[in-house]
Amino acid sequence: MSPILSRAEKKSSSLGVGSVEKQWASLAAFVGIPLPGTGAWTGAMGAFLLGMPTAVALSSIFTGVVSAGVIMTAITLAGKKGGIGALAALALITGREFLAGKEDGAEAEE
């Protein structure tokens, strides 16, 4: 497993990660998104690859897990209408980002 981890560390070191505060906020947001593959295990791997201090990584992952739990609890308690509303909001945000990406790409070509 060492060759894989060393290659990942080499690639992630060129990303130019920001300050510890930015890393904390980014990791908490990533873990806090309740989608498959964005949980505590993946967040722990990301924190390791970013070289975050253990205490900072643990607090960030804990905050993300709690926020994901709050989001899922709110959607569950809202029932069927809440789930449909969450899907509609996700579709709007995704569509908006997709269209904004197309507009940026068109401007770059000109």
Side-chain angles (χ1 to χ4, degrees):
M1 187 106 176
S2 180
I4 295 171
L5 290 177
S6 63
R7 183 169 183 249
E9 281 180 318
K10 218 184 319 180
K11 285 190 175 261
S12 66
S13 66
S14 66
L15 294 175
V17 294
S19 65
V20 175
E21 291 83 18
K22 287 182 182 178
Q23 289 178 352
W24 187 93
S26 299
L27 185 61
F30 176 75
V31 173
I33 298 171
L35 292 173
T38 61
W41 288 96
T42 310
M45 184 175 61
F48 172 76
L49 292 175
L50 290 173
M52 291 177 70
T54 304
V56 174
L58 285 176
S59 68
S60 177
I61 292 169
F62 177 77
T63 303
V65 168
V66 169
S67 64
V70 167
I71 292 169
M72 290 307 296
T73 300
I75 291 173
T76 302
L77 291 177
K80 189 175 185 179
K81 290 181 182 178
I84 292 171
L87 278 174
L90 182 62
L92 285 173
I93 292 169
T94 304
R96 191 190 221 176
E97 292 296 320
F98 180 73
L99 291 176
K102 287 224 181 227
E103 291 171 2
D104 290 344
E107 291 173 3
E109 290 176 9
E110 292 176 3

